[in-house]
Amino acid sequence: MASPAFLLLGEAFWLDLANTAPPPAARDLRPDALSHPGAVSEFLAAAGLPPLDTPNGTAAVLELRSELIHLGDALAAGERPPSGAITAINGVLSRHSGREQLVRVSGSWRLDFVPADVSGALEAIARSAAETLANPLAQVRRCIDPTCRRLLADTSPGHSRSWCRERCRTVAGIERRRGSRTVPTV
């Protein structure tokens, strides 16, 4: 079961990691979930990722998170991905050895990268960001609930999803209805 400190949407590891930091508008409402010692290890365990295997792993995760937050903000605003985020993702992915392999998927051939060894936590997070960027159907958004504002990947057929979870959908619907009411005049 996930730690209560982490709301894991399960869409992509990189979004869950980016969402551990509160967005600028919600910093007073939601603390940084990775601000205490051991929090990165707790997050990785809650997300089902392997533990860090290097002494500076926590710093590396926090540095990658910073770039992923910039990436999420840019994508949610409809802007191009920042070069710093792409460089950080490629830097992590380049450390992983493997080979290209031809695989058959649904009756057609595709060239896939097959890792030579098990991916570490950083590689899994970077790979999930790369997969989101490479998916032309995925749109990254910020949750419509003003008290939440978490990043989410909208892969719905009409690209109409704007909330991260049902609670936020309900709150956003209530706020939208409140905003559409007319105020009686006296």
PDB file of all heavy atoms in Angstrom, residues 105-141:
ATOM      1  N   VAL A 105       4.742  -7.063 -32.643  1.00  0.00           N
ATOM      2  CA  VAL A 105       3.675  -6.550 -31.805  1.00  0.00           C
ATOM      3  C   VAL A 105       2.425  -6.399 -32.664  1.00  0.00           C
ATOM      4  O   VAL A 105       2.432  -5.650 -33.652  1.00  0.00           O
ATOM      5  CB  VAL A 105       4.061  -5.186 -31.171  1.00  0.00           C
ATOM      6  CG1 VAL A 105       2.921  -4.643 -30.328  1.00  0.00           C
ATOM      7  CG2 VAL A 105       5.327  -5.312 -30.351  1.00  0.00           C
ATOM      8  N   SER A 106       1.375  -7.110 -32.302  1.00  0.00           N
ATOM      9  CA  SER A 106       0.091  -7.030 -33.004  1.00  0.00           C
ATOM     10  C   SER A 106       0.237  -7.186 -34.514  1.00  0.00           C
ATOM     11  O   SER A 106      -0.329  -6.421 -35.294  1.00  0.00           O
ATOM     12  CB  SER A 106      -0.623  -5.718 -32.687  1.00  0.00           C
ATOM     13  OG  SER A 106      -0.840  -5.604 -31.313  1.00  0.00           O
ATOM     14  N   GLY A 107       1.025  -8.129 -34.921  1.00  0.00           N
ATOM     15  CA  GLY A 107       1.165  -8.419 -36.343  1.00  0.00           C
ATOM     16  C   GLY A 107       2.140  -7.557 -37.109  1.00  0.00           C
ATOM     17  O   GLY A 107       2.307  -7.724 -38.305  1.00  0.00           O
ATOM     18  N   SER A 108       2.810  -6.637 -36.443  1.00  0.00           N
ATOM     19  CA  SER A 108       3.801  -5.813 -37.140  1.00  0.00           C
ATOM     20  C   SER A 108       5.098  -5.800 -36.344  1.00  0.00           C
ATOM     21  O   SER A 108       5.115  -6.064 -35.150  1.00  0.00           O
ATOM     22  CB  SER A 108       3.282  -4.385 -37.352  1.00  0.00           C
ATOM     23  OG  SER A 108       3.008  -3.774 -36.132  1.00  0.00           O
ATOM     24  N   TRP A 109       6.179  -5.473 -37.024  1.00  0.00           N
ATOM     25  CA  TRP A 109       7.497  -5.471 -36.397  1.00  0.00           C
ATOM     26  C   TRP A 109       7.822  -4.109 -35.821  1.00  0.00           C
ATOM     27  O   TRP A 109       7.446  -3.083 -36.384  1.00  0.00           O
ATOM     28  CB  TRP A 109       8.563  -5.865 -37.420  1.00  0.00           C
ATOM     29  CG  TRP A 109       8.442  -7.299 -37.844  1.00  0.00           C
ATOM     30  CD1 TRP A 109       7.867  -7.751 -38.986  1.00  0.00           C
ATOM     31  CD2 TRP A 109       8.868  -8.428 -37.119  1.00  0.00           C
ATOM     32  NE1 TRP A 109       7.923  -9.112 -39.019  1.00  0.00           N
ATOM     33  CE2 TRP A 109       8.538  -9.560 -37.875  1.00  0.00           C
ATOM     34  CE3 TRP A 109       9.502  -8.619 -35.891  1.00  0.00           C
ATOM     35  CZ2 TRP A 109       8.813 -10.851 -37.461  1.00  0.00           C
ATOM     36  CZ3 TRP A 109       9.778  -9.900 -35.474  1.00  0.00           C
ATOM     37  CH2 TRP A 109       9.441 -11.007 -36.260  1.00  0.00           C
ATOM     38  N   ARG A 110       8.516  -4.137 -34.694  1.00  0.00           N
ATOM     39  CA  ARG A 110       8.945  -2.912 -34.033  1.00  0.00           C
ATOM     40  C   ARG A 110      10.341  -3.131 -33.481  1.00  0.00           C
ATOM     41  O   ARG A 110      10.669  -4.209 -33.001  1.00  0.00           O
ATOM     42  CB  ARG A 110       7.962  -2.581 -32.908  1.00  0.00           C
ATOM     43  CG  ARG A 110       8.234  -1.249 -32.242  1.00  0.00           C
ATOM     44  CD  ARG A 110       7.190  -0.896 -31.227  1.00  0.00           C
ATOM     45  NE  ARG A 110       7.373  -1.751 -30.054  1.00  0.00           N
ATOM     46  CZ  ARG A 110       6.455  -1.941 -29.130  1.00  0.00           C
ATOM     47  NH1 ARG A 110       5.276  -1.390 -29.230  1.00  0.00           N
ATOM     48  NH2 ARG A 110       6.703  -2.714 -28.089  1.00  0.00           N
ATOM     49  N   LEU A 111      11.151  -2.091 -33.517  1.00  0.00           N
ATOM     50  CA  LEU A 111      12.497  -2.144 -32.970  1.00  0.00           C
ATOM     51  C   LEU A 111      12.447  -1.598 -31.546  1.00  0.00           C
ATOM     52  O   LEU A 111      12.036  -0.462 -31.326  1.00  0.00           O
ATOM     53  CB  LEU A 111      13.447  -1.302 -33.841  1.00  0.00           C
ATOM     54  CG  LEU A 111      14.930  -1.410 -33.541  1.00  0.00           C
ATOM     55  CD1 LEU A 111      15.420  -2.836 -33.736  1.00  0.00           C
ATOM     56  CD2 LEU A 111      15.701  -0.467 -34.442  1.00  0.00           C
ATOM     57  N   ASP A 112      12.835  -2.421 -30.578  1.00  0.00           N
ATOM     58  CA  ASP A 112      12.806  -2.036 -29.171  1.00  0.00           C
ATOM     59  C   ASP A 112      14.190  -2.152 -28.558  1.00  0.00           C
ATOM     60  O   ASP A 112      15.001  -2.973 -28.967  1.00  0.00           O
ATOM     61  CB  ASP A 112      11.866  -2.939 -28.368  1.00  0.00           C
ATOM     62  CG  ASP A 112      10.413  -2.548 -28.474  1.00  0.00           C
ATOM     63  OD1 ASP A 112      10.125  -1.468 -29.015  1.00  0.00           O
ATOM     64  OD2 ASP A 112       9.564  -3.329 -28.007  1.00  0.00           O
ATOM     65  N   PHE A 113      14.446  -1.332 -27.545  1.00  0.00           N
ATOM     66  CA  PHE A 113      15.677  -1.413 -26.775  1.00  0.00           C
ATOM     67  C   PHE A 113      15.460  -2.428 -25.666  1.00  0.00           C
ATOM     68  O   PHE A 113      14.476  -2.355 -24.923  1.00  0.00           O
ATOM     69  CB  PHE A 113      16.021  -0.046 -26.176  1.00  0.00           C
ATOM     70  CG  PHE A 113      17.249  -0.072 -25.326  1.00  0.00           C
ATOM     71  CD1 PHE A 113      18.505  -0.082 -25.905  1.00  0.00           C
ATOM     72  CD2 PHE A 113      17.153  -0.087 -23.941  1.00  0.00           C
ATOM     73  CE1 PHE A 113      19.646  -0.106 -25.123  1.00  0.00           C
ATOM     74  CE2 PHE A 113      18.287  -0.110 -23.158  1.00  0.00           C
ATOM     75  CZ  PHE A 113      19.537  -0.113 -23.754  1.00  0.00           C
ATOM     76  N   VAL A 114      16.364  -3.363 -25.538  1.00  0.00           N
ATOM     77  CA  VAL A 114      16.295  -4.375 -24.493  1.00  0.00           C
ATOM     78  C   VAL A 114      17.484  -4.154 -23.563  1.00  0.00           C
ATOM     79  O   VAL A 114      18.637  -4.276 -23.986  1.00  0.00           O
ATOM     80  CB  VAL A 114      16.343  -5.799 -25.099  1.00  0.00           C
ATOM     81  CG1 VAL A 114      16.291  -6.841 -23.993  1.00  0.00           C
ATOM     82  CG2 VAL A 114      15.215  -5.991 -26.080  1.00  0.00           C
ATOM     83  N   PRO A 115      17.227  -3.792 -22.295  1.00  0.00           N
ATOM     84  CA  PRO A 115      18.330  -3.544 -21.365  1.00  0.00           C
ATOM     85  C   PRO A 115      19.145  -4.801 -21.098  1.00  0.00           C
ATOM     86  O   PRO A 115      18.614  -5.906 -21.071  1.00  0.00           O
ATOM     87  CB  PRO A 115      17.629  -3.083 -20.089  1.00  0.00           C
ATOM     88  CG  PRO A 115      16.206  -2.898 -20.421  1.00  0.00           C
ATOM     89  CD  PRO A 115      15.930  -3.590 -21.710  1.00  0.00           C
ATOM     90  N   ALA A 116      20.436  -4.606 -20.879  1.00  0.00           N
ATOM     91  CA  ALA A 116      21.324  -5.725 -20.574  1.00  0.00           C
ATOM     92  C   ALA A 116      21.185  -6.158 -19.121  1.00  0.00           C
ATOM     93  O   ALA A 116      21.451  -7.298 -18.784  1.00  0.00           O
ATOM     94  CB  ALA A 116      22.772  -5.336 -20.861  1.00  0.00           C
ATOM     95  N   ASP A 117      20.757  -5.241 -18.257  1.00  0.00           N
ATOM     96  CA  ASP A 117      20.578  -5.566 -16.852  1.00  0.00           C
ATOM     97  C   ASP A 117      19.303  -4.903 -16.342  1.00  0.00           C
ATOM     98  O   ASP A 117      18.648  -4.169 -17.057  1.00  0.00           O
ATOM     99  CB  ASP A 117      21.797  -5.136 -16.028  1.00  0.00           C
ATOM    100  CG  ASP A 117      22.175  -3.676 -16.249  1.00  0.00           C
ATOM    101  OD1 ASP A 117      21.489  -2.994 -17.018  1.00  0.00           O
ATOM    102  OD2 ASP A 117      23.169  -3.226 -15.662  1.00  0.00           O
ATOM    103  N   VAL A 118      18.978  -5.176 -15.111  1.00  0.00           N
ATOM    104  CA  VAL A 118      17.761  -4.637 -14.516  1.00  0.00           C
ATOM    105  C   VAL A 118      17.894  -3.122 -14.347  1.00  0.00           C
ATOM    106  O   VAL A 118      18.928  -2.630 -13.900  1.00  0.00           O
ATOM    107  CB  VAL A 118      17.500  -5.304 -13.146  1.00  0.00           C
ATOM    108  CG1 VAL A 118      16.266  -4.730 -12.482  1.00  0.00           C
ATOM    109  CG2 VAL A 118      17.363  -6.799 -13.311  1.00  0.00           C
ATOM    110  N   SER A 119      16.849  -2.407 -14.701  1.00  0.00           N
ATOM    111  CA  SER A 119      16.851  -0.950 -14.564  1.00  0.00           C
ATOM    112  C   SER A 119      16.815  -0.553 -13.102  1.00  0.00           C
ATOM    113  O   SER A 119      16.120  -1.175 -12.299  1.00  0.00           O
ATOM    114  CB  SER A 119      15.630  -0.345 -15.257  1.00  0.00           C
ATOM    115  OG  SER A 119      15.720  -0.502 -16.626  1.00  0.00           O
ATOM    116  N   GLY A 120      17.538   0.509 -12.789  1.00  0.00           N
ATOM    117  CA  GLY A 120      17.459   1.091 -11.471  1.00  0.00           C
ATOM    118  C   GLY A 120      16.317   2.085 -11.420  1.00  0.00           C
ATOM    119  O   GLY A 120      15.627   2.333 -12.419  1.00  0.00           O
ATOM    120  N   ALA A 121      16.113   2.678 -10.261  1.00  0.00           N
ATOM    121  CA  ALA A 121      15.010   3.615 -10.076  1.00  0.00           C
ATOM    122  C   ALA A 121      15.125   4.816 -11.002  1.00  0.00           C
ATOM    123  O   ALA A 121      14.144   5.213 -11.650  1.00  0.00           O
ATOM    124  CB  ALA A 121      14.953   4.068  -8.618  1.00  0.00           C
ATOM    125  N   LEU A 122      16.322   5.405 -11.090  1.00  0.00           N
ATOM    126  CA  LEU A 122      16.493   6.584 -11.953  1.00  0.00           C
ATOM    127  C   LEU A 122      16.200   6.250 -13.408  1.00  0.00           C
ATOM    128  O   LEU A 122      15.550   7.032 -14.110  1.00  0.00           O
ATOM    129  CB  LEU A 122      17.909   7.138 -11.836  1.00  0.00           C
ATOM    130  CG  LEU A 122      18.161   8.092 -10.685  1.00  0.00           C
ATOM    131  CD1 LEU A 122      19.634   8.483 -10.644  1.00  0.00           C
ATOM    132  CD2 LEU A 122      17.297   9.315 -10.769  1.00  0.00           C
ATOM    133  N   GLU A 123      16.671   5.096 -13.860  1.00  0.00           N
ATOM    134  CA  GLU A 123      16.436   4.696 -15.249  1.00  0.00           C
ATOM    135  C   GLU A 123      14.956   4.486 -15.514  1.00  0.00           C
ATOM    136  O   GLU A 123      14.437   4.862 -16.565  1.00  0.00           O
ATOM    137  CB  GLU A 123      17.224   3.427 -15.603  1.00  0.00           C
ATOM    138  CG  GLU A 123      18.717   3.628 -15.681  1.00  0.00           C
ATOM    139  CD  GLU A 123      19.411   3.516 -14.323  1.00  0.00           C
ATOM    140  OE1 GLU A 123      18.750   3.197 -13.306  1.00  0.00           O
ATOM    141  OE2 GLU A 123      20.623   3.768 -14.275  1.00  0.00           O
ATOM    142  N   ALA A 124      14.248   3.869 -14.562  1.00  0.00           N
ATOM    143  CA  ALA A 124      12.812   3.633 -14.730  1.00  0.00           C
ATOM    144  C   ALA A 124      12.049   4.955 -14.810  1.00  0.00           C
ATOM    145  O   ALA A 124      11.127   5.105 -15.623  1.00  0.00           O
ATOM    146  CB  ALA A 124      12.280   2.777 -13.585  1.00  0.00           C
ATOM    147  N   ILE A 125      12.432   5.921 -13.991  1.00  0.00           N
ATOM    148  CA  ILE A 125      11.775   7.228 -14.005  1.00  0.00           C
ATOM    149  C   ILE A 125      12.069   7.952 -15.317  1.00  0.00           C
ATOM    150  O   ILE A 125      11.158   8.491 -15.961  1.00  0.00           O
ATOM    151  CB  ILE A 125      12.213   8.059 -12.785  1.00  0.00           C
ATOM    152  CG1 ILE A 125      11.675   7.419 -11.492  1.00  0.00           C
ATOM    153  CG2 ILE A 125      11.742   9.506 -12.910  1.00  0.00           C
ATOM    154  CD1 ILE A 125      12.312   7.936 -10.225  1.00  0.00           C
ATOM    155  N   ALA A 126      13.338   7.953 -15.730  1.00  0.00           N
ATOM    156  CA  ALA A 126      13.705   8.616 -16.987  1.00  0.00           C
ATOM    157  C   ALA A 126      13.029   7.932 -18.170  1.00  0.00           C
ATOM    158  O   ALA A 126      12.551   8.604 -19.096  1.00  0.00           O
ATOM    159  CB  ALA A 126      15.225   8.604 -17.165  1.00  0.00           C
ATOM    160  N   ARG A 127      12.957   6.624 -18.146  1.00  0.00           N
ATOM    161  CA  ARG A 127      12.306   5.883 -19.242  1.00  0.00           C
ATOM    162  C   ARG A 127      10.818   6.243 -19.319  1.00  0.00           C
ATOM    163  O   ARG A 127      10.274   6.399 -20.408  1.00  0.00           O
ATOM    164  CB  ARG A 127      12.495   4.377 -19.034  1.00  0.00           C
ATOM    165  CG  ARG A 127      11.779   3.505 -20.014  1.00  0.00           C
ATOM    166  CD  ARG A 127      12.695   3.048 -21.089  1.00  0.00           C
ATOM    167  NE  ARG A 127      11.965   2.170 -21.998  1.00  0.00           N
ATOM    168  CZ  ARG A 127      12.187   2.123 -23.266  1.00  0.00           C
ATOM    169  NH1 ARG A 127      13.135   2.844 -23.790  1.00  0.00           N
ATOM    170  NH2 ARG A 127      11.499   1.341 -24.031  1.00  0.00           N
ATOM    171  N   SER A 128      10.165   6.388 -18.169  1.00  0.00           N
ATOM    172  CA  SER A 128       8.738   6.737 -18.203  1.00  0.00           C
ATOM    173  C   SER A 128       8.527   8.135 -18.778  1.00  0.00           C
ATOM    174  O   SER A 128       7.566   8.372 -19.505  1.00  0.00           O
ATOM    175  CB  SER A 128       8.103   6.605 -16.815  1.00  0.00           C
ATOM    176  OG  SER A 128       8.478   7.654 -15.960  1.00  0.00           O
ATOM    177  N   ALA A 129       9.446   9.066 -18.487  1.00  0.00           N
ATOM    178  CA  ALA A 129       9.351  10.407 -19.072  1.00  0.00           C
ATOM    179  C   ALA A 129       9.572  10.339 -20.580  1.00  0.00           C
ATOM    180  O   ALA A 129       8.847  10.982 -21.358  1.00  0.00           O
ATOM    181  CB  ALA A 129      10.365  11.340 -18.431  1.00  0.00           C
ATOM    182  N   ALA A 130      10.538   9.548 -21.002  1.00  0.00           N
ATOM    183  CA  ALA A 130      10.812   9.408 -22.432  1.00  0.00           C
ATOM    184  C   ALA A 130       9.616   8.784 -23.153  1.00  0.00           C
ATOM    185  O   ALA A 130       9.259   9.201 -24.263  1.00  0.00           O
ATOM    186  CB  ALA A 130      12.067   8.562 -22.642  1.00  0.00           C
ATOM    187  N   GLU A 131       8.987   7.795 -22.536  1.00  0.00           N
ATOM    188  CA  GLU A 131       7.821   7.155 -23.148  1.00  0.00           C
ATOM    189  C   GLU A 131       6.659   8.137 -23.286  1.00  0.00           C
ATOM    190  O   GLU A 131       5.960   8.133 -24.293  1.00  0.00           O
ATOM    191  CB  GLU A 131       7.402   5.931 -22.341  1.00  0.00           C
ATOM    192  CG  GLU A 131       8.356   4.771 -22.477  1.00  0.00           C
ATOM    193  CD  GLU A 131       8.077   3.631 -21.509  1.00  0.00           C
ATOM    194  OE1 GLU A 131       7.231   3.790 -20.596  1.00  0.00           O
ATOM    195  OE2 GLU A 131       8.725   2.582 -21.659  1.00  0.00           O
ATOM    196  N   THR A 132       6.466   8.987 -22.284  1.00  0.00           N
ATOM    197  CA  THR A 132       5.401   9.992 -22.374  1.00  0.00           C
ATOM    198  C   THR A 132       5.694  10.973 -23.500  1.00  0.00           C
ATOM    199  O   THR A 132       4.806  11.310 -24.288  1.00  0.00           O
ATOM    200  CB  THR A 132       5.236  10.748 -21.040  1.00  0.00           C
ATOM    201  OG1 THR A 132       4.918   9.806 -20.007  1.00  0.00           O
ATOM    202  CG2 THR A 132       4.143  11.792 -21.124  1.00  0.00           C
ATOM    203  N   LEU A 133       6.934  11.436 -23.587  1.00  0.00           N
ATOM    204  CA  LEU A 133       7.304  12.368 -24.654  1.00  0.00           C
ATOM    205  C   LEU A 133       7.169  11.738 -26.033  1.00  0.00           C
ATOM    206  O   LEU A 133       6.804  12.411 -26.996  1.00  0.00           O
ATOM    207  CB  LEU A 133       8.735  12.870 -24.460  1.00  0.00           C
ATOM    208  CG  LEU A 133       8.906  13.938 -23.394  1.00  0.00           C
ATOM    209  CD1 LEU A 133      10.374  14.163 -23.111  1.00  0.00           C
ATOM    210  CD2 LEU A 133       8.240  15.216 -23.818  1.00  0.00           C
ATOM    211  N   ALA A 134       7.450  10.454 -26.127  1.00  0.00           N
ATOM    212  CA  ALA A 134       7.399   9.770 -27.421  1.00  0.00           C
ATOM    213  C   ALA A 134       5.976   9.364 -27.816  1.00  0.00           C
ATOM    214  O   ALA A 134       5.740   9.017 -28.969  1.00  0.00           O
ATOM    215  CB  ALA A 134       8.288   8.530 -27.392  1.00  0.00           C
ATOM    216  N   ASN A 135       5.041   9.425 -26.894  1.00  0.00           N
ATOM    217  CA  ASN A 135       3.663   9.041 -27.179  1.00  0.00           C
ATOM    218  C   ASN A 135       2.895  10.246 -27.728  1.00  0.00           C
ATOM    219  O   ASN A 135       2.583  11.182 -26.989  1.00  0.00           O
ATOM    220  CB  ASN A 135       2.984   8.526 -25.906  1.00  0.00           C
ATOM    221  CG  ASN A 135       1.558   8.070 -26.133  1.00  0.00           C
ATOM    222  OD1 ASN A 135       0.997   8.238 -27.214  1.00  0.00           O
ATOM    223  ND2 ASN A 135       0.977   7.497 -25.101  1.00  0.00           N
ATOM    224  N   PRO A 136       2.565  10.241 -29.002  1.00  0.00           N
ATOM    225  CA  PRO A 136       1.871  11.398 -29.576  1.00  0.00           C
ATOM    226  C   PRO A 136       0.454  11.579 -29.037  1.00  0.00           C
ATOM    227  O   PRO A 136      -0.128  12.655 -29.169  1.00  0.00           O
ATOM    228  CB  PRO A 136       1.848  11.099 -31.078  1.00  0.00           C
ATOM    229  CG  PRO A 136       2.001   9.625 -31.179  1.00  0.00           C
ATOM    230  CD  PRO A 136       2.794   9.193 -29.980  1.00  0.00           C
ATOM    231  N   LEU A 137      -0.097  10.550 -28.396  1.00  0.00           N
ATOM    232  CA  LEU A 137      -1.454  10.645 -27.863  1.00  0.00           C
ATOM    233  C   LEU A 137      -1.509  11.156 -26.425  1.00  0.00           C
ATOM    234  O   LEU A 137      -2.576  11.502 -25.932  1.00  0.00           O
ATOM    235  CB  LEU A 137      -2.146   9.281 -27.949  1.00  0.00           C
ATOM    236  CG  LEU A 137      -2.252   8.686 -29.351  1.00  0.00           C
ATOM    237  CD1 LEU A 137      -2.903   7.314 -29.295  1.00  0.00           C
ATOM    238  CD2 LEU A 137      -3.018   9.616 -30.269  1.00  0.00           C
ATOM    239  N   ALA A 138      -0.372  11.201 -25.747  1.00  0.00           N
ATOM    240  CA  ALA A 138      -0.346  11.638 -24.351  1.00  0.00           C
ATOM    241  C   ALA A 138      -0.236  13.156 -24.271  1.00  0.00           C
ATOM    242  O   ALA A 138       0.585  13.765 -24.934  1.00  0.00           O
ATOM    243  CB  ALA A 138       0.817  10.998 -23.613  1.00  0.00           C
ATOM    244  N   GLN A 139      -1.098  13.743 -23.468  1.00  0.00           N
ATOM    245  CA  GLN A 139      -1.025  15.180 -23.197  1.00  0.00           C
ATOM    246  C   GLN A 139      -0.861  15.359 -21.692  1.00  0.00           C
ATOM    247  O   GLN A 139      -1.625  14.796 -20.912  1.00  0.00           O
ATOM    248  CB  GLN A 139      -2.290  15.888 -23.672  1.00  0.00           C
ATOM    249  CG  GLN A 139      -2.432  15.913 -25.168  1.00  0.00           C
ATOM    250  CD  GLN A 139      -3.660  16.701 -25.615  1.00  0.00           C
ATOM    251  OE1 GLN A 139      -4.447  17.187 -24.808  1.00  0.00           O
ATOM    252  NE2 GLN A 139      -3.817  16.818 -26.908  1.00  0.00           N
ATOM    253  N   VAL A 140       0.134  16.137 -21.291  1.00  0.00           N
ATOM    254  CA  VAL A 140       0.374  16.388 -19.878  1.00  0.00           C
ATOM    255  C   VAL A 140      -0.378  17.647 -19.489  1.00  0.00           C
ATOM    256  O   VAL A 140      -0.340  18.653 -20.196  1.00  0.00           O
ATOM    257  CB  VAL A 140       1.887  16.525 -19.584  1.00  0.00           C
ATOM    258  CG1 VAL A 140       2.131  16.909 -18.143  1.00  0.00           C
ATOM    259  CG2 VAL A 140       2.592  15.213 -19.917  1.00  0.00           C
ATOM    260  N   ARG A 141      -1.083  17.558 -18.370  1.00  0.00           N
ATOM    261  CA  ARG A 141      -1.882  18.677 -17.868  1.00  0.00           C
ATOM    262  C   ARG A 141      -1.666  18.826 -16.369  1.00  0.00           C
ATOM    263  O   ARG A 141      -1.178  17.924 -15.708  1.00  0.00           O
ATOM    264  CB  ARG A 141      -3.365  18.403 -18.101  1.00  0.00           C
ATOM    265  CG  ARG A 141      -3.757  18.302 -19.518  1.00  0.00           C
ATOM    266  CD  ARG A 141      -5.269  18.469 -19.605  1.00  0.00           C
ATOM    267  NE  ARG A 141      -5.578  18.885 -20.943  1.00  0.00           N
ATOM    268  CZ  ARG A 141      -6.022  18.084 -21.889  1.00  0.00           C
ATOM    269  NH1 ARG A 141      -6.255  16.861 -21.634  1.00  0.00           N
ATOM    270  NH2 ARG A 141      -6.258  18.531 -23.093  1.00  0.00           N
TER     271      ARG A 141
END
